[in-house]
Amino acid sequence: MDAEWSFDTFNAKKMSAKEIATSFVTPPAFAALAGADHCYLIGPRGSGKTTLLRMLHGESLEAWRGRAAAELRAKITYSSIFLPADELWASQTNESNSRAAFATQMLYAFVESMMYRTGNYGRVVDDVHLGVALDHDQEVAIAQQCAKAWGLVDANPSFLGLQEALDFSLVQLSGGSINAHFASSVQDPLRLLTFGVRAFNRVAGQPHHRWALLLDEMELAPPEIHTAVVSFVRGGSADLILKVSMSPFDRYMDFYGNGGAPMPGHDFQTIYLSGQGRREIRSFTNGLWEATLRARALTFVPMSRALGTSSITREQTGQRTSGDEVNRLLRTMQSADVDFAHWLRAKRINLNQLGSLNYNERSATIRKIYPLLVFRDALLTFRDGRPVRRSRKKSLEPFTGASAVTTLLEGNPRWIKTAFAQMLNYYDERTGTISAGFQYDALVSLANRFESLLRVLPRRVTSAPSVPVPDLVDAIAVYLNQQNTTRFSADPQNCFTVDRNIGPDIVEALVLGLYAGAFVHVRDRRSPAVLKSFEGQRFRLAYLLAVRDEKEFPLRLGKDVRLSTILAGMKRGAERSPHSRQLQLDMESM
């Protein structure tokens, strides 16, 4: 596998159903998504939303041969229709045409699913997921009913005829016109789909069979499509389930929580693919590690052995550390760093008596600050007791080893696959290991690619110059780096909150950065199901961005800082950094 493969190599949009199923590793979220409820699947770009939705489709389920395949396949008792978002929906001149574009592509995808289930693609019906045998007259009956309800008056009465008529409608829409009969039928697109579902079920003799519409990248859809989807989730037909994937932020989510609008946990489930728990991320990453080794025909070696474990991991899990690494670093930093020495005195911690600390006392002190000391020792030297940045890192321990790599990759399947592909180019089969240097090189390469992606994100606000996402990311990263590499603090600022002093251009950069995965929403029990406003919400940078030179920060949460405070500091230093000129202009306009 070429180490220079791009993110798009692992883009599920470009993969066949067989390719997706062959490489699929079941994440914890899949079982919940596969249930028979309406679901909103929320995560940034590359977090696996498209893969998860496509794995619910019959073709992928049919090709799936994983460990849990048979069990989960048996639980999916509905037939799926996969519909990716299309810019055609939003490019129409009016709402009626937008609904028509949405309806046309949705109904075309439904016809494809009917053809799949009935074996019209040369498959044997018995081998198709939820296959059903129809004779010619039954197909004609379904096609005639659908053509009449959908306003396709000239359609040939067959599945192929429906597809031809829908294709022709798309051609007309692309040219800015629309068939009058069809236009009159698309005011409620999902009712058209429900009619088709019921027509198929009646003729097939399956009156209670359920179908699922898998809507991908809903954030790209215009508001009228959101209105149709929201209305259906609240009061639509029981014959049809909606599984909707979207970015963590959506500007049309004002529907939720108001009056008769659908409510999370009652009308639909919300499944989050970012900010997952450590156990879920570790399990998923280990699964992809095993799958990557298998694809390379390499003998399985546990990730913890191949990438190693750092002293941070050993201390945090209570494992013994050879040569008393923890004590040695504590003493070194005590003698070198006057601020750390002062902290030890304030906490009345005697390094000669660490053995007297009970588990809770050690967790509240040594285990809490030890990762920070490892981070500072890697990046800093000390002169007269004050920190000075090293010209090169003393060690790579804060960013390498199985635990750190897992944390940095955040359970993002595209990042994981890309990083493992490069790391395994330097895999030593004799020892079954990858050195820390090669691990770090792969992570830095991945971070650089990610940064390049951020630089080409489209800017959706045209009324005023918008702040480039990389400039905002860098402003935050530099601030966090300074918090962690100047005077010692046991609880440095590593998260930020968005306050009301933030201008619309900064908000726009946050929207785009959240979509791309540069920012991660740190959720708590008071967080809304889907973000419709940033004010008062807590965020952090993606940990992958922590490996960049002079912008490093620890892979942990910490105290919060207001984003306006970060930007105010950036404004003061903007004259020293030509790349921050746009951010300075925005701050001056606030």
Side-chain angles (χ1 to χ4, degrees), residues 381-449:
T381 187
F382 293 85
R383 295 175 187 166
D384 299 324
R386 299 302 179 191
V388 179
R389 185 179 177 89
R390 296 180 185 275
S391 59
R392 56 185 300 175
K393 293 179 179 63
K394 176 182 177 182
S395 78
L396 303 175
E397 194 166 8
F399 308 110
T400 58
S403 180
V405 169
T406 299
T407 300
L408 278 156
L409 298 177
E410 307 224 27
N412 184 307
R414 202 175 299 178
W415 292 356
I416 295 170
K417 292 176 183 178
T418 303
F420 286 174
Q422 181 161 340
M423 287 182 190
L424 285 173
N425 286 331
Y426 302 97
Y427 179 66
D428 187 334
E429 290 191 61
R430 181 176 52 83
T431 61
T433 61
I434 301 169
S435 73
F438 288 136
Q439 294 175 44
Y440 185 73
D441 287 346
L443 293 168
V444 170
S445 174
L446 181 64
N448 289 339
R449 296 183 202 182

Side-chain angles (χ1 to χ4, degrees), residues 204-264:
Q206 300 177 335
H208 304 298
H209 186 74
R210 303 182 80 184
W211 292 66
L213 177 62
L214 315 176
L215 281 167
D216 197 21
E217 294 187 307
M218 193 63 181
E219 69 275 2
L220 300 180
E224 54 270 19
I225 305 306
H226 281 257
T227 302
V229 169
V230 166
S231 298
F232 191 88
V233 169
R234 182 67 181 94
S237 168
D239 302 304
L240 184 64
I241 310 163
L242 299 192
K243 309 282 188 181
V244 182
S245 85
M246 64 191 305
S247 168
F249 178 88
D250 189 86
R251 52 185 86 235
Y252 305 124
M253 291 301 288
D254 289 328
F255 300 107
Y256 291 104
N258 298 327
M263 296 295 294

Side-chain angles (χ1 to χ4, degrees), residues 446-573:
L446 181 64
N448 289 339
R449 296 183 202 182
F450 183 45
E451 190 173 19
S452 297
L453 180 150
L454 297 179
R455 294 193 182 282
V456 296
L457 286 174
R459 300 186 189 182
R460 301 194 296 184
V461 173
T462 58
S463 59
S466 59
V467 175
V469 174
D471 283 7
L472 181 57
V473 165
D474 286 351
I476 297 169
V478 168
Y479 181 91
L480 299 183
N481 178 272
Q482 291 172 348
Q483 290 295 304
N484 288 277
T485 58
T486 52
R487 298 190 63 174
F488 175 80
S489 168
D491 199 9
Q493 295 170 333
N494 273 336
C495 294
F496 65 92
T497 55
V498 179
D499 49 293
R500 64 180 57 189
N501 296 323
I502 299 304
D505 289 351
I506 298 295
V507 169
E508 183 67 19
L510 286 170
V511 170
L512 292 172
L514 197 62
Y515 163 73
F519 306 118
V520 178
H521 183 208
V522 182
R523 300 183 55 80
D524 59 34
R525 57 185 177 81
R526 298 167 297 176
S527 300
V530 181
L531 284 174
K532 59 183 179 182
S533 170
F534 288 114
E535 187 175 333
Q537 298 298 316
R538 188 186 192 205
F539 298 88
R540 63 171 173 83
L541 288 182
Y543 288 135
L544 180 62
L545 296 166
V547 300
R548 299 177 304 155
D549 195 34
E550 298 189 6
K551 300 181 183 73
E552 303 93 341
F553 54 89
L555 311 181
R556 53 175 281 174
L557 298 178
K559 284 186 177 179
D560 300 338
V561 58
R562 292 189 303 173
L563 183 55
S564 61
T565 299
I566 296 176
L567 297 180
M570 185 62 189
K571 178 182 177 182
R572 289 192 295 270

Side-chain angles (χ1 to χ4, degrees), residues 501-502 506 564 567-568 570-571 582-590:
N501 296 323
I502 299 304
I506 298 295
S564 61
L567 297 180
M570 185 62 189
K571 178 182 177 182
Q582 181 58 60
L583 194 57
Q584 181 188 25
L585 291 173
D586 181 77
M587 288 299 300
E588 290 172 349
S589 68
M590 288 169 53

Side-chain angles (χ1 to χ4, degrees), residues 276-478:
Q276 300 175 73
R278 291 182 181 180
R279 181 178 299 178
E280 290 82 2
I281 291 176
R282 183 169 60 248
S283 174
F284 182 58
T285 306
N286 282 329
L288 282 175
W289 169 258
E290 183 177 352
T292 307
L293 289 176
R294 187 166 55 248
R296 294 279 191 110
L298 294 170
T299 302
F300 173 71
V301 174
M303 188 174 158
S304 58
R305 177 183 159 191
L307 304 186
T309 58
S310 71
S311 64
I312 297 175
T313 303
R314 292 192 291 275
E315 168 60 25
Q316 290 180 328
T317 57
Q319 301 175 42
R320 294 190 64 181
T321 55
S322 61
D324 198 7
E325 298 165 88
V326 175
N327 210 322
R328 186 167 56 247
L329 179 58
L330 290 170
R331 290 179 181 281
T332 298
M333 298 301 281
Q334 181 188 37
S335 62
D337 186 345
V338 295
D339 293 315
F340 178 58
H342 177 74
W343 182 85
L344 288 172
R345 289 193 298 272
K347 291 292 182 179
R348 297 182 179 180
I349 297 174
N350 186 338
L351 297 185
N352 294 320
Q353 298 176 357
L354 289 182
S356 65
L357 296 177
N358 62 38
Y359 180 85
N360 290 334
E361 290 171 335
R362 191 174 181 95
S363 295
T365 54
I366 304 305
R367 290 197 177 104
K368 177 181 178 180
I369 56 96
Y370 183 69
L372 292 174
L373 297 181
V374 173
F375 175 85
R376 288 168 67 83
D377 184 52
L379 271 64
L380 304 173
T381 187
F382 293 85
R383 295 175 187 166
D384 299 324
R386 299 302 179 191
V388 179
R389 185 179 177 89
R390 296 180 185 275
S391 59
R392 56 185 300 175
K393 293 179 179 63
K394 176 182 177 182
S395 78
L396 303 175
E397 194 166 8
F399 308 110
T400 58
S403 180
V405 169
T406 299
T407 300
L408 278 156
L409 298 177
E410 307 224 27
N412 184 307
R414 202 175 299 178
W415 292 356
I416 295 170
K417 292 176 183 178
T418 303
F420 286 174
Q422 181 161 340
M423 287 182 190
L424 285 173
N425 286 331
Y426 302 97
Y427 179 66
D428 187 334
E429 290 191 61
R430 181 176 52 83
T431 61
T433 61
I434 301 169
S435 73
F438 288 136
Q439 294 175 44
Y440 185 73
D441 287 346
L443 293 168
V444 170
S445 174
L446 181 64
N448 289 339
R449 296 183 202 182
F450 183 45
E451 190 173 19
S452 297
L453 180 150
L454 297 179
R455 294 193 182 282
V456 296
L457 286 174
R459 300 186 189 182
R460 301 194 296 184
V461 173
T462 58
S463 59
S466 59
V467 175
V469 174
D471 283 7
L472 181 57
V473 165
D474 286 351
I476 297 169
V478 168

